[in-house]
Amino acid sequence: MRLINSDKLAELQSDPNRIRNICILAHVDHGKTTMADSLVASNGIISSKLAGKIRYMDSRIDEQQRGITMKSSSIALYHTTDNKDSEFIVNLIDSPGHVDFASEVSTAVRLCDGAIVVVDVIEGVCPQTRSALSIAYIEGLKPVLVLNKIDRLITEVKLSPLDAYVHLMQVLEQVNAVMGELFASDIMDRDEREEGEKSQDNNLNERNLADWQSALEEADDSNLYFSPERGNVLFGSAMDGWGFGIKEFAKIFSTKLGFSERVLLKTLWGDFYLNSKTKRIMKGAQEKAKKPLFVQLILDNIWALYETVVVRKDKEKMMSIVDKLQIKLTIRDLRHTDSRTQLQAICSQWLPLARACLDMTCENVPSPNKLTKEKIERLMSGNNDFSALPQETQSLKNAFLKCDSSADAPVIVFISKMFPVDRKTLPENKAKPLTQEELTQRREIARQRHAALLEQQRSGVSMHPPEQNENLEPLRDSNPVEELSEDVLVAFARVYSGTLRKRSQVYVLGPKHNPRTALERQQNGEEVDKSTLLKDLKAGRHVTIATVDQLYLLMGRDLEPLDSITAGNVVGIGSLEDHVLNTATLSSTIACPSFAELTSLTDPILRVALEPKQPNDLQKLIKGLKLLNQADACAVVHIQETGEIVLNTAGEVHLEKCLEDLKLRYAKVEINVSEPIVPLRETVVPPPKVDMVNEVIERKEQQSSLEMWTANRQCCFEIDAKPLPDAVTKVLEKHSDLIKLIDQHVEKLGKETGEELPDIAKISLEPSVLPERTQKAVEGFLAELKLAFEDNGEKTPLEKIWCFGPRKCGPNILLNETDYEKRPFWERQIKSTDPRAAYESSIVNGFQLATLAGPLCEEPMMGVCFVLKKWEIHESSSSDGSGQSQGHLGGQLMSACKEACRRALSLRRPRLVTPMYSCSVLVNSDVLGDRAGSVLGAVDGRGVPPLWRETRQR
């Protein structure tokens, strides 16, 4: 039975100071969902005896079968502190730990202000633990560490309390080492951006180590690390239902030992021991071979309890322990034959995990109205400069800070994902319980019908079915509800400002929404059409208007209807599937910016081809794939030119989940699935320096470039292909987003009229010039790219770079070594009188098409530098000025350039590269032997593999 009714819940939700938004992050199988069960059981939603077994937050069948979480789900929990004065609503989001569902972690983290990071003390820090800590740090969450499964140290590893204490210290040091690494990397990146590059000629290696150390020493890391005495570390066992922080035992022993609670908080963890003679707490337990206080007062007692109940199963001693702890056990618990069940009954009353965890969360995690200015600016502007936003947009920052729910406050809601729900399970479609008046009315109708049947039997009149009796009202409803089986999509969102109400109209702002452009259009009298849906939007338009028909309180597997929701709360929003693809921002003002993109942890690289078993089901499959693409941000669907339908997923488990959803939920058709398609890349390699017998190959005369003519023999050009250094390719992959931003900026400048603007290196706050922060990032990128070329002994061709590809931001370069004058790619292009300027886009588009699909197997290229050495346009003898159109020649030139790039790559030692699989092997120390090194070396003896490697080396 739930501990709180809807009225009390609404009262707490209206006060931002009483709201906590948290998520649970961990590696797979470290105990997230088991811990969530304990927290849910504290509200009476499930039985405490079923906690850890029912996996309440895992509502999918495949989640229960596999024992792993595949989606993020939220539930609102009520919690009150020990003094009974402070009441809180904790919006808990349980997130997956499997690497295939990292996108679900991103959606959960964005809606939260804090995180519970769970670590298995046996396995320690695992890859997904690092990812969880990293994304929590990037998103600015306040983390709380839970060292889980301490019972395994007792029952499986069989460590002594002192050895367990040393092991816990090592695990804690591992976690803090990851936090320190993230902090140091962030500080150095910030310092580099702030310092910038004083000139393009400066070398990155000239920066002193002392400069980095000085920046790290000046940075404040006082609130960075986990430490039990600071109240952000919890020790426990989610399976046995117990957990504690230092604070709980400090209260217990402050009265027994006579020490102040403040002193015990500082000494219970660390190198301190209790001097039995002087009755004082002394330092230097390790030096004097004394038991630390943590072992003496805490771990020894827990080990003794496990020894008595689980190992020896001593009933008499167990009863004495129960009496000392003042715990009451039921007769059923005492008679139970399973010792772990008895242990759970004792520990859940002595050290309840839910109370300790929620107390620590409410104390450490900030409320929604205490967000930092830095986090708000990053949410509003992403990696761009906040000061570059319009003034109307910047003024919304105060609404975020206040988290105001008044009628005057603007409504700002962020939708992190869309999740499917069976239409039958929606609250408005469920059968409502009958009121007392309706029950009385139905009893009277049944009594009258029974009396009429008896009267018919006495009079000998033939009996008619009750449905044909016109004088009596039928029991069934006159308008039966149609059979509804299809799924609907519900938005998973958080309200940052204002109050969102049912039947209110809001702007739906897409991820590419630009508030400056939208405000300019609004000033010019362009209004957003209320009837426009997402599928009807034209290019460059990213705003629609939607009516909020349904609001839901997310309660794990259930949804509860709401009339309104105030700022600071997590909510489900219905009827938005026609307006939102994956993520969006809802606002009452069009000046609101679209929230920064979610932090991506994985890319969908596992590809399969799909087709329906029955050709007539093709349209159903396409419709189901659209729903899948909308409900799963990491599932990417595209139809190739050949008509083949390709599904990209994050991994095998994710692929199985997507196929299961297609067959049972979205398309409901049988599907043929191909073998996984390995994504490849096409590249060229340098010529060999030695032959098969290791003899040096003499350099021959350089091969001539490939000459190409258009079909009408009017345009001629020469192009060559050569490999890019690996360092350059890595720089281009690292800064792909920045390259895309530069291209968009230069393209925007090209459309503007007026005098020519200065180059990007000069700082200006005019709208047509990049923000200062972005300019510094561009300068750093150019310096890094220049250094990468120089380190490989090549001349720096920055001034000759025409563009990047594919998609104008890929790891391939087009160089201009012709007599055609063109400014560098990062500067605004000048108007040219050269007749070739009209066909410049044709060369660029041909290069983009070629790098997107290479000649070997139609896969994208990487690490290839195409050099345009000659470009000539000859006047056609048959042209009289009105013959051949410019567009016709441009199309021929684009096709010729594409074919020339593909041929040039084929003539310059082409290679296929494939992604390398990196894995971590976790084993216990007792199974490691002499052959451990050779076994691990067999996985990949070359160390950490690069992202791509030539297939001939496998």
Side-chain angles (χ1 to χ4, degrees):
M1 180 178 178
R2 286 193 58 181
L3 301 180
I4 184 173
N5 55 33
S6 57
D7 295 335
K8 182 66 174 179
L9 181 66
E11 177 188 346
L12 295 176
Q13 286 180 330
S14 61
D15 185 2
N17 292 303
R18 298 185 176 185
I19 301 173
R20 297 294 185 270
N21 297 313
I22 61 171
C23 58
I24 304 180
L25 306 176
H27 189 77
V28 64
D29 288 335
H30 277 207
K32 299 181 303 301
T33 307
T34 304
M35 173 167 287
D37 274 2
S38 298
L39 302 182
V40 172
S42 67
N43 272 232
I45 299 175
I46 62 174
S47 170
S48 59
K49 297 183 182 299
L50 295 178
K53 304 177 182 67
I54 193 174
R55 300 179 64 89
Y56 182 77
M57 302 296 282
D58 293 346
S59 57
R60 294 174 57 98
I61 297 177
D62 47 2
E63 286 180 316
Q64 294 286 344
Q65 291 175 346
R66 287 181 176 270
I68 61 174
T69 303
M70 296 183 179
K71 68 181 187 320
S72 297
S73 52
S74 176
I75 190 169
L77 302 177
Y78 169 77
H79 178 65
T80 179
T81 55
D82 292 334
N83 54 19
K84 305 295 182 181
D85 295 331
S86 299
E87 296 176 306
F88 296 94
I89 284 295
V90 180
N91 294 311
L92 175 71
I93 303 179
D94 183 26
S95 64
H98 198 283
V99 65
D100 283 8
F101 306 102
S103 62
E104 290 286 326
V105 179
S106 302
T107 62
V109 166
R110 175 53 60 87
L111 302 183
C112 297
D113 304 316
I116 301 175
V117 182
V118 184
V119 177
D120 187 337
V121 294
I122 298 296
E123 297 183 2
V125 177
C126 296
Q128 284 305 107
T129 309
R130 293 177 178 272
S131 299
L133 292 171
S134 175
I135 193 172
Y137 183 85
I138 293 173
E139 293 288 342
L141 304 189
K142 185 70 174 178
V144 171
L145 179 65
V146 177
L147 297 179
N148 192 27
K149 301 187 181 182
I150 294 182
D151 59 294
R152 295 182 64 188
L153 298 178
I154 308 173
T155 59
E156 295 182 20
V157 187
K158 302 186 185 302
L159 293 180
S160 66
L162 183 59
D163 292 337
Y165 169 72
V166 174
H167 181 77
L168 293 175
M169 290 187 65
Q170 292 174 348
V171 175
L172 185 59
E173 288 175 0
Q174 292 175 8
V175 177
N176 283 331
V178 176
M179 296 300 297
E181 181 182 344
L182 295 172
F183 177 74
S185 176
D186 182 40
I187 292 300
M188 287 190 284
D189 288 343
R190 288 185 185 180
D191 186 61
E192 182 179 342
R193 287 196 301 265
E194 292 175 359
E195 291 291 334
E197 295 302 326
K198 296 181 180 179
S199 68
Q200 294 273 343
D201 299 329
N202 279 354
N203 208 337
L204 290 179
N205 290 334
E206 293 177 0
R207 190 165 178 80
N208 254 338
L209 179 61
D211 296 335
W212 298 120
Q213 292 176 344
S214 175
L216 291 173
E217 289 174 359
E218 294 175 359
D220 182 19
D221 61 347
S222 58
N223 297 321
L224 176 68
Y225 299 107
F226 297 103
S227 179
E229 60 266 24
R230 296 175 59 185
N232 58 3
V233 178
L234 190 73
F235 306 89
S237 170
M239 185 59 69
D240 290 337
W242 60 268
F244 65 90
I246 296 297
K247 186 176 181 180
E248 281 74 20
F249 278 95
K251 291 180 180 179
I252 295 174
F253 289 107
S254 61
T255 56
K256 291 186 177 181
L257 300 178
F259 296 105
S260 67
E261 186 176 335
R262 181 176 58 84
V263 173
L264 287 175
L265 283 174
K266 293 182 178 180
T267 57
L268 270 178
W269 179 266
D271 194 27
F272 299 94
Y273 71 98
L274 179 62
N275 192 325
S276 56
K277 294 183 179 179
T278 60
K279 302 296 182 181
R280 295 179 58 188
I281 297 176
M282 311 292 291
K283 192 173 183 179
Q286 182 178 1
E287 180 182 354
K288 299 178 181 178
K290 300 288 187 179
K291 280 186 178 182
L293 279 178
F294 190 80
V295 177
Q296 186 177 1
L297 300 181
I298 301 176
L299 294 187
D300 280 348
N301 292 323
I302 296 176
W303 257 247
L305 179 61
Y306 270 82
E307 179 74 16
T308 301
V309 180
V310 178
V311 180
R312 296 183 179 178
K313 300 181 181 180
D314 190 339
K315 296 281 186 178
E316 295 182 0
K317 191 173 182 180
M318 182 187 72
M319 291 305 300
S320 64
I321 293 176
V322 168
D323 293 338
K324 291 180 181 179
L325 296 176
Q326 298 180 354
I327 294 174
K328 295 182 180 180
L329 296 180
T330 63
I331 298 177
R332 181 179 179 181
D333 291 332
L334 294 175
R335 293 178 178 178
H336 210 291
T337 58
D338 187 3
S339 58
R340 294 302 288 261
T341 303
Q342 293 179 333
L343 178 72
Q344 184 177 2
I346 297 173
C347 292
S348 59
Q349 297 184 54
W350 178 36
L351 301 170
L353 173 63
R355 174 165 295 279
C357 185
L358 292 176
D359 279 346
M360 188 173 290
T361 298
C362 295
E363 182 179 349
N364 287 273
V365 176
S367 58
N369 59 350
K370 293 182 181 178
L371 298 181
T372 61
K373 296 181 180 180
E374 292 77 9
K375 181 174 181 178
I376 292 174
E377 291 182 1
R378 190 182 60 79
L379 288 175
M380 297 179 66
S381 62
N383 295 324
N384 300 323
D385 191 358
F386 177 77
S387 60
L389 294 174
Q391 192 60 40
E392 297 91 335
T393 304
Q394 295 186 36
S395 62
L396 296 177
K397 179 180 177 181
N398 294 328
F400 280 91
L401 289 171
K402 294 179 181 179
C403 195
D404 190 6
S405 302
S406 62
D408 299 334
V411 177
I412 302 175
V413 182
F414 176 68
I415 298 173
S416 66
K417 72 168 183 176
M418 305 288 288
F419 64 94
V421 177
D422 190 348
R423 191 186 296 269
K424 291 181 179 180
T425 63
L426 293 178
E428 58 267 23
N429 294 330
K430 287 184 177 180
K432 298 180 180 179
L434 298 176
T435 62
Q436 189 63 36
E437 292 78 7
E438 291 174 336
L439 288 174
T440 303
Q441 181 183 7
R442 293 203 172 195
R443 289 194 193 100
E444 181 64 22
I445 293 173
R447 188 189 64 77
Q448 293 177 8
R449 179 174 298 171
H450 183 66
L453 290 175
L454 291 177
E455 183 65 26
Q456 289 175 354
Q457 290 177 358
R458 292 193 191 98
S459 61
V461 180
S462 60
M463 298 174 59
H464 298 282
E467 292 81 6
Q468 299 179 5
N469 194 335
E470 298 178 357
N471 298 325
L472 296 177
E473 180 185 358
L475 284 174
R476 66 185 63 178
D477 295 333
S478 59
N479 296 320
V481 179
E482 295 182 2
E483 190 71 20
L484 299 174
S485 59
E486 68 271 17
D487 289 329
V488 295
L489 295 177
V490 176
F492 190 32
R494 171 177 170 178
V495 184
Y496 281 87
S497 175
T499 301
L500 186 64
R501 305 180 188 277
K502 288 180 63 175
R503 293 174 293 279
S504 62
Q505 287 189 342
V506 291
Y507 290 106
V508 183
L509 313 176
K512 296 183 179 180
H513 166 67
N514 187 342
R516 184 181 301 280
T517 304
L519 288 171
E520 290 175 356
R521 289 173 178 166
Q522 192 177 58
Q523 292 174 359
N524 295 332
E526 297 184 33
E527 297 293 336
V528 180
D529 188 359
K530 295 183 179 180
S531 62
T532 302
L533 302 178
L534 182 65
K535 62 181 180 180
D536 303 326
L537 287 177
K538 299 179 181 179
R541 309 284 177 161
H542 309 287
V543 183
T544 61
I545 296 179
T547 302
V548 178
D549 292 333
Q550 300 295 337
L551 293 175
Y552 304 109
L553 176 65
L554 304 177
M555 292 299 298
R557 303 181 181 185
D558 300 323
L559 301 176
E560 296 183 5
L562 295 173
D563 292 328
S564 63
I565 191 71
T566 55
N569 290 284
V570 176
V571 66
I573 309 175
S575 68
L576 292 180
E577 57 266 24
D578 293 331
H579 297 269
V580 180
L581 181 58
N582 294 124
T583 65
T585 304
L586 307 183
S587 179
S588 58
T589 170
I590 205 169
C592 179
S594 180
F595 277 50
E597 294 183 0
L598 297 174
T599 304
S600 177
L601 297 177
T602 57
D603 294 322
I605 61 171
L606 185 63
R607 300 189 297 173
V608 294
L610 305 178
E611 67 175 9
K613 288 187 177 180
Q614 301 296 331
N616 294 336
D617 294 333
L618 179 60
Q619 291 303 320
K620 291 183 179 179
L621 176 60
I622 294 176
K623 182 179 178 181
L625 286 170
K626 290 181 180 179
L627 291 174
L628 174 65
N629 191 32
Q630 193 171 7
D632 194 332
C634 201
V636 179
V637 181
H638 66 272
I639 301 178
Q640 297 182 345
E641 296 178 357
T642 59
E644 185 180 43
I645 301 174
V646 177
L647 172 64
N648 292 14
T649 59
E652 294 180 359
V653 181
H654 186 215
L655 174 63
E656 292 180 12
K657 170 183 174 290
C658 292
L659 295 177
E660 191 76 11
D661 287 342
L662 277 175
K663 295 176 183 178
L664 302 180
R665 305 192 70 163
Y666 302 133
K668 297 183 179 179
V669 296
E670 293 296 322
I671 304 172
N672 291 327
V673 185
S674 71
E675 292 294 325
I677 305 171
V678 179
L680 305 174
R681 295 291 183 269
E682 301 185 20
T683 187
V684 294
V685 295
K689 297 181 179 179
V690 295
D691 60 10
M692 297 296 292
V693 292
N694 294 330
E695 292 183 358
V696 178
I697 298 177
E698 296 181 1
R699 289 283 153 224
K700 297 181 180 180
E701 188 177 350
Q702 181 69 26
Q703 289 179 303
S704 61
S705 303
L706 179 67
E707 185 175 288
M708 198 75 179
W709 287 82
T710 55
N712 58 3
R713 309 293 293 180
Q714 190 175 348
C715 182
C716 170
F717 56 89
E718 288 185 7
I719 198 165
D720 194 11
K722 62 180 183 179
L724 284 176
D726 291 339
V728 175
T729 304
K730 291 179 180 179
V731 171
L732 296 181
E733 290 178 335
K734 175 183 176 183
H735 296 281
S736 60
D737 293 337
L738 184 59
I739 297 173
K740 184 186 299 183
L741 182 63
I742 297 173
D743 178 77
Q744 294 173 353
H745 175 70
V746 174
E747 185 178 354
K748 179 182 177 182
L749 290 182
K751 296 179 181 179
E752 294 179 354
T753 58
E755 297 182 357
E756 182 181 339
L757 294 173
D759 60 66
I760 202 173
K762 295 183 180 180
I763 298 173
S764 174
L765 297 179
E766 297 180 15
S768 56
V769 178
L770 282 177
E772 180 180 355
R773 179 179 175 185
T774 308
Q775 292 178 19
K776 290 183 179 180
V778 173
E779 294 169 11
F781 161 64
L782 295 177
E784 193 173 349
L785 186 60
K786 177 181 178 181
L787 179 63
F789 274 108
E790 292 177 349
D791 285 348
N792 287 272
E794 296 189 12
K795 295 181 180 179
T796 308
L798 294 186
E799 305 293 332
K800 300 179 182 179
I801 295 179
W802 195 333
C803 65
F804 302 90
R807 299 183 177 90
K808 297 186 178 182
C809 61
N812 303 283
I813 293 177
L814 177 63
L815 291 185
N816 177 27
E817 292 187 356
T818 66
D819 57 350
Y820 174 66
E821 294 183 2
K822 187 181 185 305
R823 299 184 69 176
F825 71 94
W826 67 87
E827 296 182 14
R828 181 184 181 182
Q829 302 305 313
I830 59 176
K831 293 182 179 180
S832 176
T833 58
D834 195 315
R836 292 173 290 185
Y839 304 100
E840 180 180 321
S841 61
S842 298
I843 293 288
V844 173
N845 292 335
F847 164 74
Q848 298 294 338
L849 292 174
T851 53
L852 185 62
L856 301 181
C857 55
E858 299 295 326
E859 291 285 350
M861 299 182 190
M862 69 172 296
V864 184
C865 177
F866 291 98
V867 184
L868 187 64
K869 296 187 175 182
K870 187 180 76 172
W871 183 21
E872 298 176 354
I873 295 181
H874 305 282
E875 292 294 334
S876 176
S877 58
S878 62
S879 176
D880 58 353
S882 62
Q884 179 114 26
S885 67
Q886 177 179 325
H888 189 54
L889 177 59
Q892 290 191 9
L893 181 57
M894 181 173 62
S895 300
C897 181
K898 172 187 174 182
E899 187 62 27
C901 292
R902 291 164 62 95
R903 288 188 185 181
L905 182 128
S906 301
L907 297 174
R908 296 293 186 264
R909 297 163 298 279
R911 295 290 186 275
L912 283 177
V913 291
T914 181
M916 300 299 294
Y917 181 75
S918 176
C919 63
S920 299
V921 181
L922 300 177
V923 295
N924 295 330
S925 58
D926 54 351
V927 303
L928 290 176
D930 296 336
R931 299 185 60 189
S934 60
V935 172
L936 294 177
V939 176
D940 192 344
R942 294 159 290 193
V944 179
L947 178 61
W948 301 96
R949 180 171 289 145
E950 291 183 38
T951 54
R952 62 187 178 90
Q953 294 181 4
R954 288 179 64 86

